[in-house]
Amino acid sequence: MALKTDDCDIRDVHFYMDFGGNGDYYLNLIEYPKDELEVFKSINYRMAMSGGFAKNYPRVKDAFVKLFREMEKAGLNKHPVDDAISTTVL
């Protein structure tokens, strides 16, 4: 499952992280529309582990990795659609 925002009365946003085959970590925010007039929104952030803009901030990179690992332990690194699929009765 993904971690749902505590502002769910305002917007329906889910947060999860991915680990890419390239060794980089990805932070993902997905906002689902409240009605058919709104659009689906997705923001994805890539934290490059071997260079990139964060190379000068090793403690931030370490914190990013620790966050991913803790979310993984808690089962929070799945796309919200995966949750819906896994709970659907066929």
Side-chain angles (χ1 to χ4, degrees), residues 28-41:
N28 307 287
L29 295 171
I30 295 179
E31 182 175 359
Y32 289 95
K34 289 210 175 267
D35 59 50
E36 65 277 352
L37 299 176
E38 293 182 7
V39 295
F40 170 85
K41 298 173 189 164

Side-chain angles (χ1 to χ4, degrees), residues 30-76:
I30 295 179
E31 182 175 359
Y32 289 95
K34 289 210 175 267
D35 59 50
E36 65 277 352
L37 299 176
E38 293 182 7
V39 295
F40 170 85
K41 298 173 189 164
S42 176
I43 296 175
N44 312 93
Y45 176 85
R46 175 183 169 208
M47 175 70 74
M49 292 291 120
S50 60
F53 292 107
K55 68 183 173 212
N56 297 321
Y57 306 98
R59 291 175 63 185
V60 173
K61 287 172 48 172
D62 290 345
F64 210 81
V65 172
K66 287 177 185 176
L67 176 60
F68 173 84
R69 289 178 180 163
E70 291 302 318
M71 289 184 65
E72 191 72 14
K73 286 180 195 173
L76 296 172

Side-chain angles (χ1 to χ4, degrees), residues 15-19 25-28 64 67-68 71 77:
F15 164 59
Y16 69 100
M17 295 178 74
D18 286 319
F19 178 71
Y25 291 84
Y26 298 81
L27 184 146
N28 307 287
F64 210 81
L67 176 60
F68 173 84
M71 289 184 65
N77 283 335

